[in-house]
Amino acid sequence: MPKRSSLDAVIVGAGVVGAACAYYATRAGLRVAVIDRGSVAGGTTGAGEGNLLVSDKEAGPELDLALLSAGLWRELAAALPHEIEYEDKGGLVVAPDEASLEALRSFAKGQRAAGVTAVEAGAGDLRELEPHLAPGLAGGFHYPQDAQVQPAQAAARLLAASAAEGALVHLGEEVTGLVVERGTVRGVRTRTRELLAPAVVNAAGTWGGRIAELAGTTLPVLPRRGFVLVTEPLPRVVRHKVYAADYIADVASGSAALQSSAVVEGTPSGPVLIGATRERVGFDRSLSVAALRRLASQAAALFPVLADVRVLRTYHGFRPYLPDHLPAIGPDPRVPGLLHACGHEGAGIGLAPATGVLIAAALSGAEPPLDPAPFKPDRPFGREPGPQGQQP
Amino acid sequence: MPTSPSDPSSQEPSVPGPVVPGPAGLGRALPGSADCGPAVPDLAVVGAGPAGLAAAVTAARLGLRVALLDAGERPGGQFYRRPAPGLGAVRPESLHHGWAAFAAREAALRTHESAGRITYFPAHHVWTVVPDGGRWTLHAVAGPEERSVSVGARAVLLATGAYERQLPFPGWTLPGVVGAGGAQAMLKGGLVLPGKRVVVAGSGPLLLAVAGSLAAAGAAVPAVVEAASYTAYAGRLPDLLRNPGKLAEGATYGGALLRHGVRLLTRHAVTEAHGRDRVEAVTVARLGGDWRPLPGTGRRIPCDALAVGHGLVPQLELATALGCATRSGEDGTVALELDAGQRTSVPGIWSAGETGGIGGAQLALAEGELAAFSVAGRPAPAALVRRRSRLRAFAGAMAAAHRPGEGWTGWLREDTDVCRCEEVPAGRILEATRDLGARDARTVKLLTRAGMGWCQGRMCGPAVAALAGETSSAAGAAPDRRPLSCPVPLRHLAELPQHTD
């Protein structure tokens, strides 16, 4: 097999992060292969809502990554087919009372310093931005940079665009081992063959810990379950991504107990999506009635008109998170030849392009557009309690 | 699916006498024992079709306290469907085989109901079953006003039946094209014929029954178009010979069709329905062994309606949401993995009837009764056990004979809508699998919206799975996952009790 000479990298995982890595690596002139045991978008990508958010991130490295990504998504919206349903609809974070509005103000202040556009909306402005919002809210912030894509389409079109430029795509083929020579990763092994390359990119999302293990190292990626409710198709009753202020606290939280605050939004095809809960229960696929209750009651509290619509379906996914809630991006100094691009928790769709650009830069030796140090895969992770879950 | 009218063992004894439950079974407090307050039912039965009804009345006879929840207004399910009382039908049984078996059980239901042994909840659509502190809670949407109702129980029997498998073809969305089961339901429930000249097509024993009913009700049936070959049964001759009742039933249908001059075309399929505002004719073509239409064999048959169906699909969403193990059926559908006592892989959850693999009403009755004995912890009568095995074997033979061949997709065109709710044509599904990396029905759905509409993929699911290459994989098709088994008002979810889960 001539693979040794022809491939520059093997990317494990055909979710949106793996697809974005392939896209930017291919554009950097590298020859890559993407391999996944299932379909494109078969894991967390396919269970996501397609949030491209800056509004929920406090000033810091993740926000920098999100801002870089927001710009890249705008470019991608022009370059990729319209089926990715990119929509720069903006986000609206509402505060039920004066105290949470004050908390939002100081949160937004830090974000503005980092380059986020955050416009305070008074109680009257809220009704103008979202006519169906419940009365009595104290106010909120409008984030015009928040946007949305259809995540499965986004991953599929990124991958198809890479394939058109020469990337190889091997779906339905599971990586069963890594080829390691004298401590250096040289490729991946499947049931039927080896794919050799000087670099292997771990973009296996929630299953990223297992790929690290196959390489003889560790990455403490854990699943965090989330439910989404999907209503019957409705006329446009929700215009932005709307959520309550406590969502921001949830994202940064380390608690294993159920937390949720409904993010409510309309979709181009009509249904309203209501997400998302965050629970650490391992890979538990059973229905959580408590999660559905919270999502539904919070959505109805934000938009009373939704109380009388029907929920057609619910689905769940497992967000891949690392203990400090930052992704692992870049070369793993412990295992030469291994790079990581996983652990994006609930922000993988939004952060995928910036991750792809950082990985492409690491592979080609180019200057990265931002400092990747905070995402170093071998940074110290404190231990935290919580069920690990069996990897299915 | 028909039951034989002449089988005495399927009759409910006319005097239901309470029996003391045995020691095994539920393994919890016996009914009428020291539980305080209004007693939690020992058993909740979901579905009042043949399996659920038989299970409920048998369990009540064995002394269990039963809650029977059913989406329908009246017991009987899809099989024992009757005209609404307002239509003034004098003899609804004339459209049914095995009516006596149903009538006896319905009478028993009423007796147990008035004795307080069964609480019957008609028009209750159970949308989920969840574990709740050592017992189960069933959440339902009730009545046209969509009330929220919760019922607790110590054990649950899922008798949720099946729905019709549809394989799309050009023109299948034209008015006048109805499901074969739908045509039967129209006739049984509303005494309405779908047309004056009705072609019956698809695959499975239901077609003969439907054609017979339509012809008897006065419709012309120019042809019954069956994609399988009845010689496919020959390989399972022993299973067939052990079921003389079933053979007699087949002969009865055959005789009825002959009397009405109905032609049976096997190894043929309707490959297109023609018409402007409604169906005016169909093209019927010969099929190869894998159901691929043979070029040049098409001919037109004029008609004003087409009743089409390709067998039934077990309705499993409540069971799969609970995590019950499934298996691939011989007909290409996914069914529940059940033990000899009708237990699912989840302790405390039983199932009976079509959910364990399509097998018809007679089998459903037998399995419902067996399940009741099992839940009550009592040994089932040997004759009942034998009867179930015999009917299961027959069902297996039938399922294998009518399994759709992979070549059926040969009659699709790129512009044929596969998902009619979201109007997704076959071409878009092929693009998703060929160009966009979809290797299963779930990903096809994510990329095309096929199956995301009102019916949540019940109509197009089997076709999408086939186009995604799922049914040909070694593992077989993946079970449908619909954590909500029907649309639920958001208010119900918001008002669920705090302690749940």
Side-chain angles (χ1 to χ4, degrees):
Chain A
M1 272 195 175
K3 299 278 189 245
R4 181 183 290 273
S5 54
S6 66
L7 279 182
D8 296 305
V10 175
I11 296 163
V12 183
V16 71
V17 172
C21 289
Y23 182 83
Y24 288 105
T26 305
R27 279 164 48 113
L30 302 173
R31 190 160 158 77
V32 301
V34 177
I35 186 161
D36 194 295
R37 63 177 175 175
S39 290
V40 65
T44 311
T45 298
E49 301 161 87
N51 283 332
L52 316 179
L53 300 185
V54 297
S55 58
D56 65 336
K57 294 172 184 68
E58 63 181 321
E62 196 189 8
L63 181 60
D64 297 340
L65 203 60
L67 280 166
L68 173 60
S69 259
L72 292 168
W73 271 119
R74 274 194 295 279
E75 291 172 24
L76 289 171
L80 296 175
H82 66 88
E83 280 87 351
I84 70 166
E85 294 180 4
Y86 176 85
E87 210 183 341
D88 53 349
K89 53 166 47 173
L92 183 63
V93 187
V94 300
D97 49 44
E98 203 48 48
S100 40
L101 185 58
E102 194 47 47
L104 264 183
R105 280 192 192 109
S106 81
F107 192 78
K109 193 175 169 201
Q111 291 175 316
R112 284 200 190 107
V116 171
T117 309
V119 184
E120 179 161 353
D125 306 329
L126 288 184
R127 303 284 292 183
E128 206 151 293
L129 287 162
E130 287 291 346
H132 295 282
L133 263 180
L137 295 163
F141 275 81
H142 179 218
Y143 290 86
Q145 286 152 312
D146 282 356
Q148 172 176 309
V149 288
Q150 207 276 31
Q153 277 286 353
R157 303 290 170 170
L158 279 167
L159 203 58
S162 314
E165 298 295 319
L168 304 173
V169 180
H170 305 296
L171 300 176
E173 198 172 346
E174 184 169 2
V175 169
T176 54
L178 295 197
V179 182
V180 183
E181 285 172 13
R182 288 186 296 281
T184 298
V185 170
R186 294 282 179 218
V188 302
R189 194 173 291 123
T190 72
R191 283 192 181 81
T192 54
R193 60 173 165 172
E194 288 181 351
L195 285 174
L196 301 179
V200 170
V201 179
N202 173 15
T206 315
W207 297 272
R210 179 185 283 181
I211 299 297
E213 236 169 77
L214 292 177
T217 187
T218 57
L219 193 67
V221 183
L222 291 171
R224 198 176 195 188
R225 185 172 72 174
F227 279 92
V228 175
L229 300 180
V230 186
T231 72
E232 59 189 309
L234 300 172
R236 198 78 163 175
V237 292
V238 183
R239 300 174 181 178
H240 301 81
K241 288 178 177 284
V242 183
Y243 58 97
D246 56 344
Y247 178 74
I248 297 164
D250 283 352
V251 174
S253 163
S255 155
L258 168 69
Q259 309 149 34
S260 75
S261 55
V263 183
V264 185
E265 66 183 301
T267 58
S269 31
V272 167
L273 301 186
I274 301 163
T277 50
R278 292 163 181 270
E279 305 161 88
R280 254 169 279 151
V281 292
F283 285 99
D284 181 352
R285 294 186 180 276
S286 58
L287 182 72
S288 164
V289 171
L292 302 190
R293 170 168 48 74
R294 291 208 188 186
L295 286 176
S297 57
Q298 292 179 355
L302 280 175
F303 292 96
V305 63
L306 292 180
D308 291 314
V309 310
R310 294 184 190 86
V311 176
L312 278 197
R313 62 195 172 94
T314 175
Y315 62 88
H316 65 268
F318 298 100
R319 302 184 186 84
Y321 79 97
L322 285 160
D324 59 3
H325 304 285
L326 287 179
I329 305 172
D332 191 328
R334 300 165 297 183
V335 187
L338 178 67
L339 294 86
H340 297 286
C342 56
H344 294 74
E345 197 155 347
I349 316 294
L351 302 181
T355 303
V357 166
L358 287 181
I359 291 293
L363 289 172
S364 63
E367 187 66 27
L370 60 76
D371 178 15
F375 313 112
K376 272 170 61 103
D378 64 333
R379 63 188 188 262
F381 294 108
R383 285 218 152 266
E384 65 165 28
Q388 290 263 337
Q390 283 298 303
Q391 302 232 344
Chain B
M1 230 128 297
T3 55
S4 155
S6 59
D7 199 325
S9 65
S10 68
Q11 309 294 311
E12 170 76 5
S14 53
V15 185
V19 178
V20 179
L26 283 171
R28 293 200 188 89
L30 296 176
S33 66
D35 265 10
C36 49
V40 173
D42 300 296
L43 174 65
V45 176
V46 184
L53 187 58
V57 297
T58 308
R61 179 164 57 85
L62 295 174
L64 301 188
R65 192 187 302 270
V66 179
L68 174 61
L69 298 94
D70 187 51
E73 302 265 337
R74 285 167 305 146
Q78 296 300 326
F79 185 75
Y80 297 118
R81 188 188 277 269
R82 285 165 292 172
L87 292 174
V90 186
R91 291 179 59 248
E93 64 274 21
S94 62
L95 289 167
H96 287 274
H97 289 266
W99 186 261
F102 169 68
R105 285 172 180 83
E106 194 192 21
L109 167 64
R110 300 306 175 191
T111 308
H112 288 305
E113 221 189 329
S114 49
R117 288 185 290 265
I118 295 182
T119 313
Y120 171 49
F121 298 90
H124 278 59
H125 204 137
V126 176
W127 57 268
T128 194
V129 179
V130 288
D132 192 359
R135 46 175 77 143
W136 302 96
T137 296
L138 295 83
H139 295 286
V141 178
E145 65 281 15
E146 301 191 325
R147 277 177 301 117
S148 170
V149 173
S150 299
V151 174
R154 298 177 195 281
V156 175
L157 175 87
L158 301 173
T160 45
Y163 55 92
E164 197 158 31
R165 172 161 55 193
Q166 295 295 351
L167 301 180
F169 51 89
W172 75 303
T173 54
L174 275 174
V177 180
V178 298
Q184 185 88 323
M186 281 165 78
L187 205 53
K188 287 180 180 178
L191 306 174
V192 178
L193 283 169
K196 292 194 181 73
R197 192 175 156 80
V198 189
V199 172
V200 177
S203 190
L206 180 67
L207 300 187
L208 300 178
V210 171
S213 304
L214 290 172
V221 180
V224 175
V225 186
E226 163 63 60
S229 154
Y230 274 87
T231 57
Y233 284 86
R236 298 287 286 268
L237 212 51
D239 290 331
L240 302 184
L241 292 177
R242 274 195 289 274
N243 287 272
K246 284 285 193 183
L247 288 183
E249 190 181 283
T252 309
Y253 287 133
L257 295 182
L258 275 179
R259 265 200 315 285
H260 292 288
V262 175
R263 253 184 319 166
L264 173 63
L265 296 169
T266 58
R267 283 210 180 290
H268 278 75
V270 167
T271 55
E272 183 164 6
H274 310 273
R276 280 162 51 95
D277 303 322
R278 70 171 281 131
V279 61
E280 290 160 10
V282 294
T283 294
V284 171
R286 262 185 73 77
L287 301 183
D290 68 346
W291 287 30
R292 189 165 297 280
L294 299 176
T297 62
R299 61 190 145 126
R300 276 169 93 104
I301 300 181
C303 60
D304 61 2
L306 169 65
V308 62
H310 296 84
L312 302 174
V313 182
Q315 184 141 301
L316 302 184
E317 41 272 289
L318 291 176
T320 52
L322 281 162
C324 299
T326 58
R327 64 181 180 88
S328 275
E330 286 164 290
D331 53 2
T333 64
V334 178
L336 293 182
E337 188 75 61
L338 301 173
D339 75 0
Q342 302 295 132
R343 291 176 194 84
T344 70
S345 65
V346 176
I349 306 289
W350 277 257
S351 188
E354 310 288 37
T355 45
I358 301 306
Q362 260 183 293
L363 176 58
L365 291 169
E367 289 193 343
E369 288 176 11
L370 261 182
F373 279 99
S374 171
V375 173
R378 297 179 54 87
L384 183 59
V385 174
R386 279 198 304 276
R387 184 175 154 68
R388 194 269 308 262
S389 320
R390 206 179 67 221
L391 288 166
R392 261 287 157 225
F394 184 86
M398 221 162 53
H402 292 283
R403 181 191 182 102
E406 283 172 27
W408 73 265
T409 52
W411 68 58
L412 290 176
R413 288 198 304 248
E414 293 248 321
D415 64 353
T416 308
D417 271 344
V418 172
C419 168
R420 48 205 298 180
C421 300
E422 295 286 324
E423 297 178 353
V424 182
R428 291 246 315 278
I429 292 171
L430 293 172
E431 181 204 24
T433 56
R434 194 182 50 214
D435 306 333
L436 294 177
R439 299 175 50 84
D440 50 34
R442 173 182 180 265
T443 313
V444 166
K445 171 172 152 181
L446 289 171
L447 291 172
T448 66
R449 298 194 57 77
M452 283 202 184
W454 196 259
C455 85
Q456 288 291 293
R458 286 177 181 85
M459 186 81 90
C460 66
V464 171
L467 289 172
E470 265 190 17
T471 44
S472 55
S473 73
D480 285 337
R481 286 193 169 274
R482 296 185 193 95
L484 306 180
S485 82
C486 67
V488 182
L490 187 94
R491 187 187 296 286
H492 287 204
L493 301 179
E495 290 167 1
L496 285 165
Q498 287 279 342
H499 72 269
T500 318
D501 199 62

